[in-house]
Amino acid sequence: MTDAPDTPEAARRARALYDLGPTAIYSCKADPRFHYCLYVPPVVGEGEKVELLVAIHGTSRTSFLDFRDGFAAFGKWNKVAILCPVFPVGVLGDGARSGYKYMREGDIRYDELVLKMVAEVAATYGQDWSRFAMFGFSGGGHFTHRFAILHPEKLWAASIGSPGSVTLLDPARDWWVGIRDIEARFGRPFDQAALARVPVQMLVGDADLETWEITHKPGGTYWMEGANDAGRTRPERLKTLAASFEAAGVTVRLELVPGVSHDRMKVLDRVQDFLAGVLKRMRAP
């Protein structure tokens, strides 16, 4: 078996098998420590243009495949490719699980890494993905709302699912609790006007009430004053985040999902409904 198909027919079959529909898992060219897979609607193989949804996994990392496959039908019928990055545990050799959630870990900028992945796959498939949607649940919800704060101009929608801790748009507190020092930390000022143009969904199960993993304590890696001020539970913290975004002029669709605990698969239909509505408005004449 060779990596380079030696006939046009072999190349066509390899592309259909590995690069369209549910794809293989690829290393990121910009940093091969990180990986991604996609769902690519078959029409892309016929030269059609589609939109992009970036779906960010939670702490277990296994949800990247749940999201690729869980959004596949949505992607096929709505002409949306799904990009699922993989950020391994302990990429710096220290066993740390949560670095990606806060955008920076050592010399790694996870927000910039995602932008490089998007540019890479856009070039591969001949697409214009200068703007895309983003969804994340749990740890991915951490990532998504912080990415929206740092790069609102890159998003046509953001869906934020059940983050354990939230960054409020508070100019009186430093990152990650607030945003006072984001320009010093990330080289980017907060663009309130751009964020206000992003349609935002925030959703959490009303039974998602476990606090053992989300309560910050002195001495913890991400402990800082105010770390628990947004609320005790995930629903409380998400409501506080929604109020913070709304005070900045963002239109937020806040959904408290009845009877649902910390279960990513039970919110995907609501995420798809939200994204379909945004797409309909975007594509209207």
Side-chain angles (χ1 to χ4, degrees):
M1 182 175 180
T2 176
D3 278 340
D6 57 1
T7 68
E9 176 60 16
R12 184 193 67 77
R13 289 187 176 187
R15 180 170 172 79
L17 183 60
Y18 300 117
D19 297 335
L20 297 173
T23 74
I25 298 173
Y26 292 93
S27 292
C28 177
K29 293 177 183 177
D31 190 334
R33 293 175 296 178
F34 301 97
H35 310 93
Y36 61 82
C37 66
L38 303 103
Y39 173 80
V40 180
V43 294
V44 170
E46 301 165 9
E48 288 205 36
K49 302 301 183 183
V50 300
E51 304 294 341
L52 178 68
L53 167 65
V54 179
I56 307 293
H57 61 64
T59 309
S60 71
R61 274 69 177 174
T62 56
S63 59
F64 80 97
L65 285 175
D66 291 339
F67 294 158
R68 183 197 67 178
D69 298 341
F71 282 107
F74 171 85
K76 179 177 182 179
W77 300 116
N78 289 277
K79 296 186 179 180
V80 178
I82 317 300
L83 168 64
C84 300
V86 185
F87 306 130
V89 171
V91 71
L92 296 180
D94 55 5
R97 294 188 295 267
S98 296
Y100 78 100
K101 303 173 189 177
Y102 296 87
M103 296 290 121
R104 176 167 240 150
E105 183 177 25
D107 63 347
I108 303 166
R109 280 280 301 274
Y110 287 96
D111 56 326
E112 294 181 348
L113 180 62
V114 165
L115 291 174
K116 290 173 182 176
M117 287 183 180
V118 170
E120 181 177 316
V121 295
T124 297
Y125 291 98
Q127 300 286 324
D128 176 8
W129 287 333
S130 52
R131 293 174 69 236
F132 49 89
M134 183 175 285
F135 162 70
F137 186 87
S138 194
H142 277 255
F143 187 97
T144 298
H145 83 276
R146 294 188 179 111
F147 186 93
I149 291 170
L150 290 174
H151 299 280
E153 78 289 348
K154 302 302 294 186
L155 297 176
W156 54 259
S159 177
I160 300 157
S162 199
S165 298
V166 297
T167 296
L168 305 181
L169 304 179
D170 185 347
R173 298 188 182 192
D174 286 341
W175 188 269
W176 58 267
V177 170
I179 60 170
R180 175 168 55 193
D181 61 340
I182 64 167
E183 187 166 10
R185 285 179 180 267
F186 298 104
R188 299 182 60 81
F190 173 53
D191 189 339
Q192 180 174 336
L195 183 60
R197 290 192 289 270
V198 180
V200 172
Q201 177 189 45
M202 298 185 186
L203 69 173
V204 62
D206 68 359
D208 193 349
L209 301 176
E210 293 281 353
T211 62
W212 67 271
E213 194 174 19
I214 69 172
T215 301
H216 296 274
K217 298 178 181 179
T221 302
Y222 297 101
W223 165 257
M224 59 187 297
E225 290 296 330
N228 300 307
D229 286 359
R232 189 178 66 87
T233 65
R234 292 176 194 267
E236 290 173 1
R237 292 181 179 186
L238 199 62
K239 289 177 183 177
T240 303
L241 181 65
S244 178
F245 271 47
E246 288 171 340
V250 182
T251 300
V252 178
R253 177 168 156 178
L254 177 62
E255 300 190 40
L256 194 62
V257 187
V260 171
S261 58
H262 201 60
D263 190 332
R264 58 186 177 262
M265 300 309 289
K266 290 184 178 179
V267 303
L268 291 194
D269 58 340
R270 290 173 177 259
V271 177
Q272 293 170 17
D273 287 346
F274 166 72
L275 294 174
V278 177
L279 285 168
K280 183 177 180 180
R281 294 191 294 273
M282 282 175 52
R283 292 168 172 171

